[in-house]
């Protein structure tokens, strides 16, 4: 048995997220597993580095699978791509050490959230950016981002909490770059909870539009409640850029 | 009666081109005219600066229309956008001098053709770039572009010729820019015939991949035949960037 890592890019617009579901065929995991089944002739489980929500995109999602015998990585990649729809592409197939697991072995992830601040909205960004017209104070947004960086209890920044699970995470860096009307908010951290990047983004956007002060954000990191944090920024603006190991 | 200019952006992927057709509703002109009809309550003809083929995109298509009475330009724009699908957006409505006509008053146009040269193809460019993997010699492409610039008889570079019409055009500039795996070929000229930008692009790509020498391109501009020119590059890579007056 050999363990392989897949690097997968997808346009999430048409899909109901990463995770296989019994009641729909429109999931990335389900479609990948179906392609491998057709290619190999037997079912193989594919483990993602994590789930992405419906409508969220990826340039560098990682997944792992275990196959009997040897394959040619490039041939396997091309064969799967030939079976996949054109909005899901396998960018790379790599042989890994046995024991590698896309989720448990991951050291961290990078996400990019794209905001279109133009008055009218760019037609070609409509599926890949959240249209949020108006003036944003970049300096205030960067100050908010600075507060959020570091090791904190992010319990106010998720929509699904279980008692057993820690809500402490480390965000190594939040970088905000403006390019014309587009604003890119890039997150690099050791792990992100359900909806976390989108709630962080909503909170930073509220700061940038003057609806939220730095003091409030600092308080959110102590005894914060979800209801005190920012709005859930829409899925379409979010992209999983990289998973690193 | 007042004359207005519309600046229109569209993602051409779903459409059968600009020009209204009796047998399909999926044309940009048809959909714009329908929106104006619904908004004003009477039919209004909309004249484009030119037709774009099925699948071709626009960031700055221009069109003109004549309306009785006075309108508020921004209100009219917003009202039309509310009726239009999200892949067609009116960016601007401007009051013009009477006699202005999007086609006859145009001084020139800028088109951009996007090529994705990456081995695997960028999922997010699949509708906006032509995937043409492989090594391209940028210098050879620029030399070919230099030859094509200027005032020439481009009769070899169109798929529809009529005896009455001149095939002489002036290309002011062809600029080729590389950004990562993407290659942008930008054309600025006084007018382009049917398929002309796409055949020019096919010819330049053939030069860049070593299949065509400079001398052949020079000959094409004298007594060229369509069959001697390059292939027709696919519509999805083409974008009408600007019409200037």
């Amino acid at each position: 048995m050999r363990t392989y890592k897949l690097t997968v890019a997808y346009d999430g617009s048409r899909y109901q997220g990463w995770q296989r579901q019994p009641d729909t065929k429109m999931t990335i995991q389900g479609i990948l597993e179906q392609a491998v089944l057709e290619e190999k002739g037997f079912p193989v489980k594919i483990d993602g580095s994590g789930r992405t929500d419906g409508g969220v995109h990826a340039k560098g999602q990682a997944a792992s699978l275990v196959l009997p015998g040897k394959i040619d990585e490039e041939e396997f990649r091309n064969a799967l791509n030939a079976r996949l729809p054109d909005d899901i592409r396998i960018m790379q197939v790599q042989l890994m050490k046995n024991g590698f697991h896309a989720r448990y072995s991951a050291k961290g992830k990078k996400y990019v959230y794209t905001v279109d601040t133009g008055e009218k909205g760019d037609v070609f960004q409509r599926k890949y950016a959240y249209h949020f017209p108006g003036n944003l104070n970049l300096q205030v947004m960067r100050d908010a981002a600075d507060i959020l960086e570091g090791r904190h209890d992010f319990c106010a920044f998720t929509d699904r909490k279980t008692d057993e699970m820690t809500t402490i995470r480390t965000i190594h860096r939040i970088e905000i770059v403006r390019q014309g009307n587009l604003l890119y908010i890039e997150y690099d951290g050791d792990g992100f909870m359900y909806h976390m990047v989108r709630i962080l983004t909503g909170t930073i956007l509220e700061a940038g539009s003057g609806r939220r002060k730095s003091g409030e954000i600092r308080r959110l990191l102590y005894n914060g409640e979800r209801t005190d944090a920012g709005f859930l920024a829409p899925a379409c603006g979010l992209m999983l850029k990289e998973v690193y190991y």
Side-chain angles (χ1 to χ4, degrees), chain A residues 68-117:
Chain A
K70 207 176 143 90
I71 56 161
D72 179 290
E73 288 92 333
E74 201 171 314
E75 249 173 50
F76 187 58
R77 188 199 75 201
N78 294 340
L80 291 182
N81 279 337
R83 295 183 186 277
L84 290 168
D86 71 353
D87 49 6
I88 305 178
R89 292 286 95 183
I90 298 185
M91 306 308 284
Q92 202 174 29
V93 177
Q94 279 173 281
L95 179 64
M96 306 299 281
K97 279 188 186 161
N98 279 330
F100 172 83
H101 187 284
R103 180 155 159 231
Y104 303 121
S105 310
K107 290 241 178 352
K109 287 181 185 172
K110 290 180 187 174
Y111 278 96
V112 182
Y113 197 97
T114 306
V115 182
D116 181 355
T117 64

Side-chain angles (χ1 to χ4, degrees), chain A residues 4-221:
Chain A
Y4 294 91
K5 180 180 142 199
L6 309 179
T7 306
V8 189
Y10 46 86
D11 178 335
S13 308
R14 295 198 303 140
Y15 298 100
Q16 301 194 279
W18 169 267
Q19 198 184 20
R20 189 192 329 110
Q21 289 176 39
D23 54 337
T24 173
K25 289 190 171 173
M26 294 304 279
T27 69
I28 313 292
Q29 186 187 28
I31 288 171
L32 287 173
E33 288 181 345
Q34 181 62 31
V36 174
L37 169 63
E38 287 169 14
E39 185 56 30
K40 302 299 290 182
F42 50 85
V44 176
K45 185 161 175 270
I46 297 180
D47 294 304
S49 74
R51 305 164 187 181
T52 52
D53 297 339
V56 171
H57 313 292
K59 276 203 173 168
Q61 168 71 298
S64 51
L65 75 173
V66 174
L67 291 174
K70 207 176 143 90
I71 56 161
D72 179 290
E73 288 92 333
E74 201 171 314
E75 249 173 50
F76 187 58
R77 188 199 75 201
N78 294 340
L80 291 182
N81 279 337
R83 295 183 186 277
L84 290 168
D86 71 353
D87 49 6
I88 305 178
R89 292 286 95 183
I90 298 185
M91 306 308 284
Q92 202 174 29
V93 177
Q94 279 173 281
L95 179 64
M96 306 299 281
K97 279 188 186 161
N98 279 330
F100 172 83
H101 187 284
R103 180 155 159 231
Y104 303 121
S105 310
K107 290 241 178 352
K109 287 181 185 172
K110 290 180 187 174
Y111 278 96
V112 182
Y113 197 97
T114 306
V115 182
D116 181 355
T117 64
E119 190 206 341
K120 283 154 259 172
D122 182 336
V123 165
F124 301 96
Q125 292 293 333
R126 72 192 188 286
K127 292 181 177 175
Y128 312 115
Y130 167 40
H131 186 213
F132 188 81
N135 285 324
L136 287 170
N137 186 325
L138 216 63
Q139 193 48 57
V140 170
M141 292 174 72
R142 288 191 175 126
D143 291 346
D146 282 349
I147 294 168
L148 293 163
E149 282 180 5
R151 188 162 182 80
H152 303 289
D153 186 343
F154 287 98
C155 67
F157 295 87
T158 178
D159 284 317
R160 191 182 289 153
K161 262 175 295 192
T162 57
D163 286 344
E164 312 98 85
M165 213 177 63
T166 174
T167 48
I168 293 173
R169 296 286 186 283
T170 302
I171 298 183
H172 305 305
R173 189 155 169 65
I174 305 176
E175 197 172 3
I176 304 179
V177 177
R178 178 186 283 286
Q179 236 179 19
N181 281 335
L182 296 181
L183 207 68
Y184 300 98
I185 311 178
E186 182 162 336
Y187 300 86
D188 178 347
D190 65 355
F192 296 92
M193 294 177 285
Y194 182 63
H195 281 175
M196 180 168 159
V197 180
R198 293 165 59 189
I199 300 169
L200 289 166
T201 300
T203 307
I204 291 173
L205 287 173
E206 288 177 2
S209 50
R211 286 184 275 153
R212 189 176 285 275
K213 296 267 172 298
S214 307
E216 294 173 51
I217 294 173
R218 223 169 260 117
R219 268 198 304 281
L220 277 172
L221 294 173

